[in-house]
Amino acid sequence: ISTIGLETFAAFVSATVVAPVVATVDVAVVENAAGRNTLQQSILRSMNSIVFSPGMYARSFEFRWISGIYLSTYAANNLVELFCGLKGTSTVLPKLIFVTLANMLTTMWKDAAFAPRFGGKIGETVGIPTHIVWTFRNVLTMAAAFEVPALLAARLRKAGFSGGVSTNLSQFLSPILGQLVLTPIHLLGLDLFNFPKANWLERAQRIKGLYKYNTLVRMVRMGGAYGIGGVTNNFLRRNLIAKTHTSGK
């Protein structure tokens, strides 16, 4: 039970660390895609709130949503690692199922809440086409965040990098570089919601115009969520659980 508690605590701390970065970018991308704000103006507004009103920001709609999403995601990842480690089985399939499910469900709920709230369409419901696009995005995101890093780390170790450097570098790079493919998919989902009657040429032109800078800020987002957050989570798990096992001997 104590080990489960530590795994959950590591997930909670990691989620709290990354939530401000992720929430800031998510709000900015939604507002920008709807034509309500520039990325810069939205990000500066959020940063002002984080720095000068941290208590109020911690109670904000966006912070509570994002911290909840990554608490569930990291907790699912950690518990899969724990129980598979105890049984001596592979984590690949259990992670793909449980971590993807935890992240996908909470992220879909969040996106369905963020799109109308920050896109200027409060009261409207996100349609099935957008949900289908975002479901596909989430599956690819989970692969880039949890499975690709392990494969990349193995290749880096074979190339001569140390174990620690390989793990941390792959944790940072995989989800970040994945945004080159994932950002237009995310923007397509928003465009389907914001402009339901647009034709595909119009959508392609809008997404092309939004692609460059939205990809950059979403790279920052993913660097926080699965780079900084993932490294923090792994660091806490290694040190807290190792110290607990050592003190218990």
Side-chain angles (χ1 to χ4, degrees), residues 66-117:
I66 300 302
S67 58
I69 287 170
Y70 287 98
L71 170 59
S72 65
T73 302
Y74 288 130
N77 178 75
N78 293 356
L79 294 177
V80 166
E81 290 272 5
L82 173 63
F83 291 120
C84 287
L86 292 174
K87 293 184 177 182
T89 58
S90 170
T91 64
V92 174
L93 184 59
K95 275 190 181 183
L96 186 61
I97 295 172
F98 293 108
V99 180
T100 298
L101 186 62
N103 185 270
M104 182 180 296
L105 290 177
T106 53
T107 297
M108 293 294 283
W109 290 335
K110 181 269 296 181
D111 286 335
F114 273 40
R117 185 181 182 96

Side-chain angles (χ1 to χ4, degrees), residues 95 140-157 165-176 226-227 234:
K95 275 190 181 183
L140 295 181
T141 299
M142 288 298 95
F146 289 105
E147 298 310 322
V148 175
L151 299 174
L152 180 58
R155 289 185 174 275
L156 289 173
R157 285 193 293 272
V165 171
S166 298
T167 299
N168 290 339
L169 191 59
S170 63
Q171 192 79 53
F172 273 110
L173 291 179
S174 297
I176 292 172
Y226 296 107
N234 289 335

